[in-house]
Amino acid sequence: MTKVSSSTSDTADYRSLTAEQLLAVLAEKDAELLIAAEEQQSAKQAAEHAKLIIAERDKRLRAQHNTIILLEEKLRLANLRKFAASSEKLSFQVELFDEVEMEAALSDLEEQLPEENVEADAEAPSRATRKRRNRGFSEGLPRKRIELCLGDEEKAGASTTFFSKVKEELEYIPAQLNVLEYWQEKAVFEQDGVDHIVAADRPAHPLNKCSAHISLLTYILIAKYADGLPLYRLEGILKRYGNPVSRSNMAQWVIRLSEVFAPLIQRLREVQNSGTYLNADETRIQVLKEDGRSAQADKWMWLTYGGPPDKPSVLYEYDPSRAGTVPERLLENFTGILQADGYSGYAAICRKNSLTRIGCWDHARRKFVEATRIADNKKAKGKVSKADVALGYIRKLYRIESALKEVSDAERYRKRQELSVPVLNEFKVWLDKNQSKVMKGSQTRLAIDYTLNQWEYLIGYCERGDLNISNARAENAIRPFAVGRKAWLFADTAHGARASATCYSLIETAKANQLEPYAYIRYVLEHIGNADTQDSIDALLPWNVPMEENLKNAQAYD
């Protein structure tokens, strides 16, 4: 049988081949095509596998790159929070989004103010005059006249002499400790052969048997809770004044006083919850000895600010828990509007009491500010970031509120609907559009997510004219506690933490009612020993304290 070469050309003449030879050629061709197809398929699979490997590698590299970016961002954020100034002002703040239209709207708003406000502004001093430094001293301070006289020889032959004031100085009189000795006069009466003694009344003392005068107790409370001095420093100060007072004694006095103040605090809570608008916040406090919790575990100081418009109060409450049961207890009888940050613990009391909850734009703004401040400036190269754009919208909202500061609640509501609501609607569209364009986990994405999640609460301030755009009232009220905490660092026991809450409540409530704290605390201590009825407790509420007497006490005792 004739063998057919495998290299036979496709165009070769197969006519001379037998049928058997032709079948052999066809079988050889089929084998070659099958091998080629297998090689092509194998090469394709190898290429696809290589692509998958490359894609997986690129995916891992992108994930690692994003992780590095997020870690660098978190590092910058940690350094910012630890070392940088806490101010939210930025060195670069852009004016965005139709600034001309905004200025025109604000100008129109000022022109529409009531006539009396315009006249008042016209009569008010200019900005330069308002900022002029006042070099005089308070008119309420006592004054001593010191006459600098000429000698007899110097004024001999003068037709007349006169005095002219050439200088004022502020004198400081250091504190001092005195020992008050109480001698009680007693009279002896003889009746039916039995002696009967009548003694003069002793002044009521809130702690009964206590070696500290009311003035010293007041000083301790003000120094620790208004001025942020820890007790060990007060111990040294009093020792310099001539008599040491141990910090353990002072701590016991504070705790005992908090129990004396309890009925007054309870009454303040009742009055506060009778209002219709309340601000709430909470912050950490370290308590070393708390049952069931380690010294390092977070415990919480809660704050509520509110009450009727003419009876504001600032109330602190210590609780080791941050659960929703705490605001349920504090706001048990409150029905109205609650303004707080995004913490979910307030949700239960809002559902239970059907409260209207509104949010805080300060919190949303702060997150965008942090995103802007930790941005990689080397890569940004002056470009406006999405966080800058968001801040532009928020700044417009705050500028509107600044222009509406002096108008009535009704006018403020109307102008919010006219100016603020369109800005909010535009901002919401921008947030929805850009949310998916920002890397998850980045500070800008966290800020956008927070704003969108809290949106229904953030826009709530526009529903009434008497509501605030932020929860600044509560944050400002809790700041004295945060500042004091940096000095005394922690509370030893839960009793001490609760006593601190009571003292902060009275001092900050006095401030909210325009009372001098030292004078108010002393007034309460002077009268609470005899306060055994509801009416006598109500008489010690800040808005019921005689203002003139309180101011007089402030000058006499400070």
Side-chain angles (χ1 to χ4, degrees):
M1 180 176 108
T2 305
K3 184 177 180 181
V4 181
S5 174
S6 61
S7 59
T8 304
S9 174
D10 291 339
T11 58
D13 188 2
Y14 296 106
R15 288 176 294 180
S16 60
L17 300 179
T18 65
E20 186 176 347
Q21 291 175 330
L22 287 175
L23 290 175
V25 169
L26 291 176
E28 186 177 357
K29 290 289 185 180
D30 289 342
E32 291 177 353
L33 290 175
L34 181 61
I35 293 172
E38 290 178 350
E39 292 177 348
Q40 184 178 6
Q41 181 67 22
S42 178
K44 183 178 180 181
Q45 290 178 350
E48 290 179 352
H49 182 65
K51 288 181 179 179
L52 290 175
I53 293 176
I54 294 173
E56 184 65 24
R57 183 197 62 187
D58 291 343
K59 183 179 179 181
R60 287 198 304 270
L61 289 175
R62 284 194 300 270
Q64 292 172 355
H65 178 67
N66 291 342
T67 300
I68 292 172
I69 292 176
L70 293 178
L71 290 175
E72 289 177 343
E73 190 176 80
K74 290 180 179 180
L75 178 60
R76 290 194 295 271
L77 179 60
N79 290 333
L80 174 72
R81 291 175 174 173
K82 186 173 183 179
F83 300 111
S86 59
S87 173
E88 294 182 12
K89 293 183 179 180
L90 301 175
S91 58
F92 171 68
Q93 289 186 337
V94 289
E95 299 287 346
L96 301 173
F97 319 118
D98 304 327
E99 189 65 20
V100 175
E101 287 80 353
M102 172 56 64
E103 291 291 346
L106 294 176
S107 178
D108 293 340
L109 174 61
E110 292 175 356
E111 293 178 358
Q112 297 174 28
L113 292 177
E115 292 293 332
E116 57 269 23
N117 287 346
V118 176
E119 294 176 2
D121 290 342
E123 295 175 359
S126 65
R127 176 174 298 182
T129 304
R130 290 196 302 269
K131 289 186 177 181
R132 187 177 300 153
R133 182 179 176 184
N134 182 11
R135 297 182 181 274
F137 299 118
S138 172
E139 295 180 359
L141 293 174
R143 291 175 177 263
K144 300 177 183 178
R145 176 168 173 145
I146 300 176
E147 296 183 351
L148 307 176
C149 299
L150 294 168
D152 292 338
E153 294 182 359
E154 292 176 307
K155 60 183 178 182
S159 58
T160 184
T161 62
F162 66 94
F163 288 92
S164 64
K165 185 169 68 172
V166 294
K167 185 181 181 182
E168 287 185 348
E169 292 180 342
L170 191 63
E171 180 189 27
Y172 170 72
I173 302 176
Q176 64 180 21
L177 294 177
N178 298 321
V179 178
L180 301 181
E181 297 180 349
Y182 290 89
W183 291 73
Q184 187 179 41
E185 185 177 14
K186 300 180 180 181
V188 180
F189 297 89
E190 185 177 348
Q191 185 177 7
D192 299 331
V194 178
D195 290 341
H196 176 63
I197 299 177
V198 176
D201 292 335
R202 294 173 58 182
H205 194 287
L207 299 183
N208 293 322
K209 294 182 179 181
C210 179
S211 61
H213 185 259
I214 287 175
S215 60
L216 178 58
L217 295 176
T218 305
Y219 169 69
I220 292 171
L221 296 183
I222 295 300
K224 179 172 174 60
Y225 298 108
D227 301 331
L229 293 176
L231 294 182
Y232 79 89
R233 292 185 186 174
L234 286 175
E235 186 177 40
I237 291 172
L238 294 175
K239 184 178 181 179
R240 291 202 312 268
Y241 288 165
N243 191 85
V245 179
S246 70
R247 70 190 78 173
S248 61
N249 280 345
M250 288 188 281
Q252 288 300 319
W253 293 340
V254 172
I255 291 175
R256 290 173 60 192
L257 283 175
S258 69
E259 298 171 357
V260 174
F261 292 143
L264 184 59
I265 294 295
Q266 179 59 34
R267 189 71 184 108
L268 285 170
R269 178 73 64 187
E270 294 172 358
V271 175
Q272 184 182 87
N273 285 345
S274 69
T276 60
Y277 180 28
L278 192 147
N279 300 79
D281 200 1
E282 71 286 334
T283 189
R284 291 175 176 83
I285 177 175
Q286 185 178 13
V287 179
L288 300 184
K289 300 172 185 175
E290 176 67 61
D291 293 340
R293 289 177 178 264
S294 67
Q296 294 75 26
D298 286 337
K299 293 91 176 178
W300 299 90
M301 187 68 78
W302 296 76
L303 176 137
T304 53
Y305 186 124
D310 58 338
K311 299 176 180 179
S313 60
V314 182
L315 299 180
Y316 293 76
E317 180 84 7
Y318 166 72
D319 198 290
S321 171
R322 203 190 183 196
T325 54
V326 180
E328 284 189 64
R329 173 171 55 83
L330 300 180
L331 309 180
E332 181 179 2
N333 298 318
F334 175 70
T335 57
I337 295 177
L338 174 65
Q339 186 166 31
D341 57 22
Y343 175 51
S344 60
Y346 297 104
I349 185 61
C350 289
R351 290 192 301 267
K352 181 178 178 180
N353 289 15
S354 300
L355 303 182
T356 299
R357 181 174 177 180
I358 62 176
C360 173
W361 273 104
D362 279 1
H363 282 76
R365 180 182 63 183
R366 192 170 299 131
K367 295 181 184 299
F368 285 110
V369 168
E370 289 180 343
T372 299
R373 295 179 70 181
I374 65 174
D376 190 346
N377 295 327
K378 294 181 180 179
K379 295 182 179 180
K381 297 181 180 180
K383 294 182 179 179
V384 177
S385 67
K386 287 182 169 55
D388 290 322
V389 176
L391 285 174
Y393 281 112
I394 297 174
R395 289 183 64 207
K396 289 177 72 173
L397 297 173
Y398 275 86
R399 293 193 63 190
I400 294 172
E401 292 303 306
S402 178
L404 298 173
K405 187 177 299 182
E406 302 299 330
V407 304
S408 65
D409 292 343
E411 180 69 6
R412 186 179 297 107
Y413 169 74
R414 189 177 71 83
K415 285 301 178 180
R416 281 174 175 174
Q417 296 298 311
E418 178 183 340
L419 297 175
S420 300
V421 171
V423 175
L424 288 167
N425 292 337
E426 184 179 348
F427 189 24
K428 179 64 162 56
V429 172
W430 182 89
L431 290 170
D432 289 332
K433 180 180 178 181
N434 287 275
Q435 183 182 29
S436 60
K437 298 180 181 179
V438 181
M439 182 172 58
K440 289 184 177 181
S442 67
Q443 192 62 29
T444 301
R445 178 61 180 268
L446 293 175
I448 292 176
D449 291 344
Y450 175 87
T451 305
L452 288 174
N453 292 337
Q454 294 293 313
W455 189 257
E456 63 174 310
Y457 305 129
L458 291 173
I459 64 176
Y461 78 98
C462 289
E463 297 303 316
R464 279 175 35 176
D466 61 331
L467 305 180
N468 297 319
I469 190 173
S470 74
N471 198 30
R473 291 200 312 178
E475 292 193 357
N476 291 339
I478 211 168
R479 187 171 291 115
F481 169 79
V483 172
R485 181 179 55 193
K486 292 181 180 180
W488 44 260
L489 301 179
F490 57 83
D492 186 53
T493 66
H495 293 296
R498 294 188 182 94
S500 296
T502 296
C503 296
Y504 274 115
S505 297
L506 293 178
I507 290 172
E508 295 306 315
T509 297
K511 293 179 183 180
N513 286 272
Q514 309 302 314
L515 299 181
E516 201 286 319
Y518 182 97
Y520 175 66
I521 296 297
R522 175 154 182 165
Y523 181 89
V524 171
L525 289 176
E526 288 174 344
H527 295 84
I528 200 168
N530 294 321
D532 53 1
T533 65
Q534 186 65 58
D535 290 341
S536 59
I537 292 294
D538 286 350
L540 299 179
L541 295 172
W543 43 87
N544 293 332
V545 170
M547 179 66 75
E548 294 182 1
E549 181 180 352
N550 199 55
L551 292 178
K552 181 179 179 181
N553 288 344
Q555 297 173 16
Y557 301 136
D558 275 3

